[in-house]
Structure formats: structure tokens, C-alpha cells
Amino acid sequence: MEYDTIILGAGAAGLMCAAHCGGRVLVVDHARKPAEKIRISGGGRCNFTNLDVTPEKFISANPHFARSALARYTQWDFIDLLARHGITWHEKTLGQLFCDGRSAAIIDMLLRMCARAGAEITLETTATAITPLTRSGNADDATGYGLTLSGPEGRRQVRARRLVLATGGKSIPKMGATGFAYDVAAQFGHSVTQTRPALVPLTFSADRFRPLAGTALPARVAADGPPFDEALLFTHRGLSGPAILQASSYWREGAEIVVNLCPGADAYAVLRAARTKVGRRSLVRSLDGLGLIPARLADHLGTEWVLTGNLADQSDRALQTLADRLTHWRLTPSGSEGYRTAEVTLGGIDTAEISSKTMESRRQPGLYFIGECVDVTGWLGGYNFQWAWSSAMAAATAIAAA
Ligand code: FDA
């Protein structure tokens, strides 16, 4: 074989694996540049991990699957790696770590490590056919993989003992995201769980929130999962901001989300106290005047909920009803912005048929799946890159030891 390992995908997981798996390595990517998602992530500063990485921050049909890889290559290991390469960072909020400089520093680090390891990287190249090389003709005793590559220099055949799939998920097709890993997984008899856009803005019909576009506030948002206390942003098309992106990973078409617009306050107590002190203030103006919600949102809800009169006109019951509406605002999104803007793909290659220790296929020896293509999806906040690093290291360690 001319290669020990061929890695498809020169993104976060593929480069990390190439730098550590040893032997003769070829990395293949169809993009013009490697790791473009690292480059644009975190507003150009890459939120590369989180101080608080626990398996509960990952969604999967098997919530235990990510445990092993995350425990064996942790956020502290990646932080050490950055320190060795002189990359400095800072914590923004909720344990999220960002580069002090540009994300490109992480790409350069990975490329330097790949070069040092002697890994070859070929860009603008796709694998048009993948065939298991077998002694008996049975795919499950594969001794390696033959690939037809198609790139700027035309077609060529390559062979390797091991094949690592690291081509990511379907989010942001404009950047070259494809469902390629799922197709290869299916070719080798793997199941793929239902995939859907996640960490994605939610849309509403009839320009419902267009007049509020640009308004932001702290909120608590829950779909069919845990509540998230982060910023909520009104957009021309609907709702966005970290609280919405997080909840979107737990939302399904037709279902409601519940928004608490004043999570830091006891809205009923605040309104009652104000009724005694500033009873002549209009009900609508008291919502922003008391710091419960921004003025533009108060005006919008004042019309939508037909809020009339002064504070002094309101009974305890009316104030309680209003407080309940502010803290349990039930909304039914018409959809999401889809893969066009989703940060990640929820679902993916079924973990039931992958070793959680090595990321190797249980069906097909020598075939590995790492990164976002696997059915492991992190919350917003650096968790998805940590999964890319940890799953890549699980495979790389197993390959290096083989
Ligand atoms: P990744 O997508 O990085 O790499 C896959 C590679 O495979 C790409 O280079 C692609 O070109 C290549 N490829 C695809 N199909 C191919 C084919 N058919 N043939 C050859 N090559 C192919 N996460 C986080 O933790 N912190 C953050 O700050 C952000 N920010 C962020 C912003 C935006 C805008 C997006 C879209 C995403 C994020 N993410 C994030 C998520 C994060 O980028 C993502 O989870 C990781 O990049 C996944 O790493 P992978 O290596 O698995 O795939």
C-alpha cells in the first residue's frame, strides 16, 4: 500500500487525526483551502473548546457514546497543545474559550503539525469511488481500501490500510459541506440517524418579528430539552441569538418553544411593587420602565396582547396573568433557516456500530468515523470543536498503536 492511512476531510477532526496517527498519511479535501470552518468560527476567533466539557453537553441517540473520547482527550489537553504553540486565548462567557488573535492560528498550528508528521494534504480533490480490498471477497475481512481520487491533476488510484471519514456534516453547503460521510457509511452497511440542521435561527411566518429586528435581550428559552439562559435576538426572519440556537437543537417542526423574557426578575413582584409606587404609569411603559423588557418589545407586546390602562388599573390577577405571559411566552416557529446557516448537523452515523474507544467501524475493519459526521452534536460554546479534537485523537491513538 502506498499509504497507511487515508483521511477524507481536512477540517478540524481530519487534520488533528493526520497530525497524530503516524505512518504514511494522505489527507484529501475537495475544498480549495483546509479547515475553512475553523477560520470563520467564533467570529474569526474560533471558540475552540469550553472549560466545562461534560457528556451532558452533547446530544446523541446514545448519550454515553462521547464519554470515552472526551475523557481521554480533554479540553485541558487541547489548551496545553495551544500553549506549546504559543497561541493565547481568553474566556468569553459560560466557559467558552476563544483565541486572542485570529482562528487562522489554529489552522496554521494543525498544518505545521501535519507537515512535521509527514502527512500529505491534497486539496480540490474528491474520492469518486471507495472499494474495500479483500483476500476472500468478503468486505468484512478488508485488508485495506482502494480509492479513486479526482483532482486538478486528473484521476488517480490510491490504496491504504485504513480509511478515516472526517468530512463533517451538511451545514453550510456554500462552504462545501456534503452528506458524503453518510453515503460512505451507508455503502458499508452503517445506519445513519435522521439528520437535521441544529444551532440554527428559527423562522416565523408573516414577518411576525420584522419590526423588532435588531432588538436583543437576555432570555431563558426551552424547546423539548433543557432551558438555556443566554441572549435572544429578533431578526427580520424570526428569532436568533445563542438562547435560540441552543434551543433549536431540541426543537422539532410544529412544536412550541417557551420563552421567559425576564429570567432574572420576579415579574409579578416587580409589577405589584410598581403599582403602589408609580400607579399612574401606563402598563406598557412600565414593562420597559421597570427594566423587564426593552421598549420596542414592550410596544410590540402591548399591541399583540392588548395591554391597556395604567398600572393602578390592574388587579392582582391581571398582573399575575401578565407576569405569566412574560415568563411563558409560547411561540410556534414556522421553521428554521436550515443548513444554509446552521452551525452543525444534528444526528449522523449511528454510534451503535462504532467503537467509542477507537471510533473504528464495528462492521468494517480499518474504517473510522470522526468529528461532526458521527451522531454526536455539542451545544453552542466550543463543544463541537472539542468533539472534533477528542474523536480525532481516539482514532489517531488507536491507529498509531495498531
Ligand atoms: P469540518 O466541517 O470542519 O471539516 C470537513 C472537511 O471535509 C471540510 O474541509 C470539507 O471541505 C471536507 N469535505 C466535505 N465533503 C467532502 C467530500 N465529499 N470530499 C472531500 N472533502 C469533503 N464549533 C465550535 O465548537 N466552536 C465554534 O466557534 C464554532 N463556530 C462555528 C461557526 C460556523 C459558521 C459554523 C458553520 C460552525 C461552527 N462550529 C463551531 C461547528 C464546527 O465548525 C464543526 O463542528 C467542526 O468544524 C466539525 O469538524 P469536522 O472536522 O468534523 O468537519
Side-chain angles (χ1 to χ4, degrees):
M1 309 263 172
E2 56 266 63
Y3 295 102
D4 294 305
T5 306
I6 293 177
I7 300 172
L8 297 180
L15 293 180
M16 189 72 173
C17 184
H20 292 94
C21 65
R24 291 157 302 168
V25 179
L26 174 67
V27 187
V28 178
D29 201 297
H30 67 174
R32 282 180 47 226
K33 290 182 182 167
E36 278 296 278
K37 281 195 184 164
I38 297 183
R39 193 181 307 280
I40 61 159
S41 66
R45 293 193 190 277
C46 188
N47 176 197
F48 55 84
T49 193
N50 195 290
L51 290 177
D52 184 28
V53 176
T54 55
E56 293 71 40
K57 308 278 168 60
F58 295 83
I59 306 167
S60 170
N62 175 0
H64 299 294
F65 181 80
R67 262 174 206 282
S68 169
L70 292 172
R72 283 180 303 125
Y73 190 85
T74 68
Q75 66 274 41
W76 308 112
D77 293 315
F78 195 75
I79 290 168
D80 279 351
L81 180 67
L82 294 190
R84 288 202 297 281
H85 288 262
I87 298 175
T88 55
W89 50 268
H90 58 276
E91 181 187 351
K92 231 184 189 173
T93 168
L94 302 170
Q96 300 168 5
L97 304 191
F98 288 76
C99 297
D100 286 343
R102 311 301 301 168
S103 327
I106 294 188
I107 305 176
D108 294 344
M109 174 191 80
L110 292 168
L111 292 176
R112 270 197 312 275
M113 287 162 56
C114 285
R116 206 174 299 150
E120 197 184 310
I121 300 175
T122 177
L123 299 171
E124 296 182 86
T125 301
T126 47
T128 51
I130 300 176
T131 1
L133 309 172
T134 64
R135 277 189 219 100
S136 65
N138 291 330
D140 56 8
D141 74 354
T143 53
Y145 295 87
L147 281 76
T148 308
L149 300 183
S150 179
E153 283 107 48
R155 278 171 178 265
R156 66 174 167 136
Q157 305 291 325
V158 287
R159 295 188 310 164
R161 282 163 59 208
R162 295 180 197 85
L163 178 63
V164 180
L165 260 294
T167 50
K170 295 189 212 170
S171 351
I172 326 259
K174 238 183 168 176
M175 291 184 66
T178 62
F180 183 77
Y182 313 132
D183 299 340
V184 177
Q187 177 192 337
F188 288 103
H190 277 263
S191 328
V192 177
T193 67
Q194 199 191 1
T195 52
R196 50 182 292 119
L199 300 181
V200 64
L202 298 174
T203 53
F204 289 80
S205 48
D207 295 340
R208 179 163 177 194
F209 297 123
R210 187 176 278 271
L212 290 171
T215 304
L217 72 160
R220 178 174 303 151
V221 182
D224 188 17
F228 292 96
D229 277 32
E230 292 192 55
L232 176 150
L233 172 71
F234 291 89
T235 70
H236 289 284
R237 305 190 61 203
L239 296 178
S240 187
I244 292 293
L245 300 186
Q246 297 277 35
S248 74
S249 299
Y250 293 90
W251 177 78
R252 297 295 176 270
E253 276 72 14
E256 282 182 338
I257 58 168
V258 182
V259 180
N260 179 346
L261 292 168
C262 21
D266 178 343
Y268 178 55
V270 170
L271 289 165
R272 270 192 71 180
R275 184 177 57 187
T276 316
K277 283 196 205 138
V278 284
R280 292 172 70 180
R281 186 181 278 174
S282 88
L283 185 56
V284 170
R285 280 290 65 82
S286 56
L287 293 181
D288 55 286
L290 298 168
L292 290 172
I293 55 174
R296 274 169 85 196
L297 181 57
D299 288 330
H300 180 88
L301 293 179
T303 309
E304 191 171 307
W305 294 348
V306 199
L307 302 177
T308 53
N310 293 335
L311 267 176
D313 304 331
Q314 314 300 318
S315 64
D316 283 355
R317 191 146 169 223
L319 291 185
Q320 183 66 67
T321 303
L322 176 56
D324 289 347
R325 290 179 109 171
L326 290 167
T327 52
H328 296 82
W329 194 24
R330 295 177 174 280
L331 297 167
T332 306
S334 57
S336 82
E337 289 191 5
Y339 289 118
R340 190 176 61 81
T341 62
E343 276 199 17
V344 284
T345 301
L346 191 74
I349 301 163
D350 196 337
T351 58
E353 296 154 333
I354 303 174
S355 157
S356 61
K357 205 169 161 219
T358 64
M359 308 305 292
E360 187 174 9
S361 162
R362 292 191 193 282
R363 294 184 151 266
Q364 187 69 35
L367 181 64
Y368 296 76
F369 301 103
I370 58 175
E372 196 181 317
C373 66
V374 178
D375 173 27
V376 173
T377 308
W379 287 6
L380 188 78
Y383 300 102
N384 285 296
F385 278 132
Q386 186 59 44
W387 171 245
W389 317 135
S390 297
S391 59
M393 288 304 282
T397 310
I399 292 170

